[in-house]
Amino acid sequence: MKINENFDELAESYLFAEVARRTKIFADAHPEVRIIKMGIGDVTLPLAPAVSDAMKKAADEMAVKETFKGYPEYEGYEFLRNAISGYYGSFGVSVSSDEIFVNDGAKSDCGNIGDIFSTDCTVLVTDPVYPVYVDTNIMAGRKIVYAPSTAENGFCAMPDDNVHADIIYLCSPNNPTGAAYTADQLKKWIEYAINNDAVILYDAAYEAFISDDLPRSIFAVEGARKCAIELCSLSKTAGFTGVRCGYTVIPKELTFDGHSIKDLWYRRQSSKFNGVSYPVQRAAEAVFSPEGQKQTRENIMYYKRNAELIAKTMEKLGITYTGGRNSPYIWITCPDGMGSWEFFDYLLEKANVVATPGEGFGKCGKGCMRFTSFADHSSTVEAMERIEKAVN
């Protein structure tokens, strides 16, 4: 028996596992210290009342023979797919319910979608990048090329016509940098994909945080239905990090090599995925109800106020940053020329605050740090006060 040797090419430790390891070592050595975590993007507010009520009601239905549900449809219950379709329509994008696949979170589909593509494909990712895009393709043995996202291009990498790619991962608003693409910028990526006969895997997990006049879906841009798959999550939109639910949109007209991508994905899902539970799908449906939208928007605004506070603190300290306005992430340049892990250790020791070293997101993340806005507000206020004292 042999293992998949591609695993030997992975970094020794997943980024967030290393953050947790270092944090634990410090915490064990200093049990009297209260550490404020602003690294991993886990939410802190509870589910909206409309959402939890729907989940409870659905759980009760599962205890009654007449309303009990067994295996769900592989693509998700029609009631949820209709609700998601209506949500897209609310901001002017047409997506039909039979183009939607319900999943247990965008992370799963970001990694699993590669099952339907050849391992001979060349994968393009922007750098810095969400590690899942890179790690899952290393596991598959694919060649990976990088498009640098730097301060010079506003952390919005653009295509290079001299570089060929078959699979393109884009995330907007971006994790980790918080930068978001304009419609014109996305149009250039769409043209590049069509010219290369490539597919764009578009991660829209943070679209609900957009305030400016920016696309909330790649399908708001002409040509995207010919080359793009969109992946979205309720983790940050509605606090589903522990509930697990998201969705993937594959247009009917999307074909490659004579194959319907939608049909291939359905075939894959029916073999490897048994769907999302009925109570969770009813909870997700409630997210898109008028009351659910009102309540979840209030939670999003809570996190955005945290992001604004972090951004203002960085301005006060003279630290350059991006993100925060259309994203829950604030991406800073470490002060005094510090390296990412060096500043991580400094903040942990001097301010007892945890953020995520930019270097863990790629070469272009060296000397940078990602803060999240998902802590509770009082902790965010305290963390910024501590950082002001530590950095000044």
Side-chain angles (χ1 to χ4, degrees):
M1 192 279 290
K2 290 186 176 181
I3 65 163
N4 180 349
E5 294 180 355
N6 293 316
F7 275 70
D8 292 335
E9 303 302 318
L10 293 169
E12 184 176 347
S13 175
Y14 184 56
L15 169 61
F16 299 110
E18 177 62 16
V19 168
R21 186 188 72 83
R22 294 195 184 203
T23 302
K24 185 179 186 304
I25 290 172
F26 182 84
D28 288 346
H30 303 277
E32 76 285 358
V33 168
R34 187 176 88 89
I35 297 172
I36 299 176
K37 297 180 180 180
M38 307 184 76
I40 295 177
D42 198 359
V43 296
T44 52
L45 294 177
L47 296 174
V51 174
S52 62
D53 287 347
M55 183 182 288
K56 292 172 187 175
K57 180 181 177 183
D60 287 340
E61 290 178 41
M62 296 293 281
V64 178
K65 182 177 181 180
E66 289 75 17
T67 52
F68 172 79
K69 300 288 191 299
Y71 288 123
E73 287 90 346
Y74 298 117
E75 69 271 41
Y77 287 111
E78 187 174 8
F79 63 75
L80 177 53
R81 291 185 286 111
N82 285 338
I84 295 168
S85 176
Y87 176 67
Y88 272 97
S90 72
F91 50 85
V93 174
S94 178
V95 169
S96 65
S97 61
D98 59 354
E99 296 176 314
I100 296 166
F101 293 82
V102 176
N103 59 41
D104 60 354
K107 182 176 182 178
S108 297
D109 279 11
C110 280
N112 293 332
I113 196 78
D115 281 2
I116 63 175
F117 299 116
S118 169
T119 55
D120 291 334
C121 291
T122 296
V123 176
L124 184 150
V125 297
T126 58
D127 178 4
V129 65
Y130 181 41
V132 172
Y133 308 157
V134 175
D135 288 355
T136 54
N137 283 290
I138 289 176
M139 291 173 190
R142 294 189 180 94
K143 176 185 176 182
I144 301 175
V145 296
Y146 296 88
S149 292
T150 63
E152 286 69 31
N153 58 26
F155 295 100
C156 289
M158 296 304 294
D160 181 348
D161 290 335
N162 296 313
V163 175
H164 171 76
D166 303 295
I167 300 172
I168 302 158
Y169 283 84
L170 297 178
C171 178
S172 181
N174 184 263
N175 176 14
T177 68
Y181 282 112
T182 66
D184 288 342
Q185 289 172 323
L186 287 179
K187 180 66 175 175
K188 289 182 172 62
W189 275 111
I190 290 166
E191 291 169 351
Y192 170 83
I194 291 173
N195 290 338
N196 281 270
D197 195 29
V199 63
I200 295 174
L201 303 180
Y202 189 78
D203 187 344
Y206 308 99
E207 56 82 17
F209 286 81
I210 291 176
S211 300
D212 296 334
D213 186 19
L214 297 166
R216 304 234 331 243
S217 164
I218 195 169
F219 299 123
V221 184
E222 184 182 1
R225 292 182 63 89
K226 299 177 183 177
C227 65
I229 294 171
E230 182 158 292
L231 307 105
C232 204
S233 169
L234 296 182
S235 287
K236 308 309 191 299
T237 300
F240 272 50
T241 53
V243 176
R244 309 309 304 149
C245 192
Y247 47 93
T248 294
V249 179
I250 305 180
K252 297 171 189 173
E253 58 263 48
L254 186 63
T255 60
F256 289 98
D257 196 26
H259 293 81
S260 161
I261 299 304
K262 176 177 173 289
D263 290 348
L264 286 179
W265 184 240
Y266 181 85
R267 183 65 184 86
R268 187 269 177 201
Q269 292 296 78
S270 63
S271 292
K272 288 190 173 185
F273 184 60
N274 261 340
V276 176
S277 73
Y278 176 71
V280 168
Q281 291 200 52
R282 280 297 186 191
E285 178 192 28
V287 170
F288 302 107
S289 69
E291 191 63 20
Q293 283 291 284
K294 177 179 179 294
Q295 293 170 358
T296 54
R297 288 301 304 172
E298 289 171 355
N299 287 358
I300 289 170
M301 293 310 298
Y302 178 96
Y303 295 131
K304 292 191 72 167
R305 285 191 290 273
N306 284 348
E308 183 180 6
L309 174 60
I310 299 168
K312 285 183 177 178
T313 301
M314 298 306 151
E315 289 174 4
K316 186 175 181 180
L317 294 171
I319 295 174
T320 58
Y321 71 92
T322 189
R325 179 170 174 79
N326 297 298
S327 166
Y329 300 119
I330 296 85
W331 179 255
I332 74 160
T333 300
C334 299
D336 302 324
M338 287 189 184
S340 299
W341 285 106
E342 180 185 7
F343 191 48
F344 172 88
D345 291 335
Y346 181 87
L347 282 182
L348 184 56
E349 180 181 348
K350 301 297 184 182
N352 310 140
V353 172
V354 173
T356 309
E359 190 170 335
F361 295 102
K363 292 181 180 179
C364 290
K366 289 183 178 180
C368 296
M369 186 75 71
R370 189 195 75 172
F371 285 86
T372 77
S373 62
F374 293 118
D376 64 73
H377 186 68
S378 61
S379 293
T380 303
V381 171
E382 183 179 348
M384 293 304 104
E385 290 173 350
R386 293 184 190 180
I387 290 172
E388 279 193 47
K389 292 177 182 178
V391 173
N392 272 334

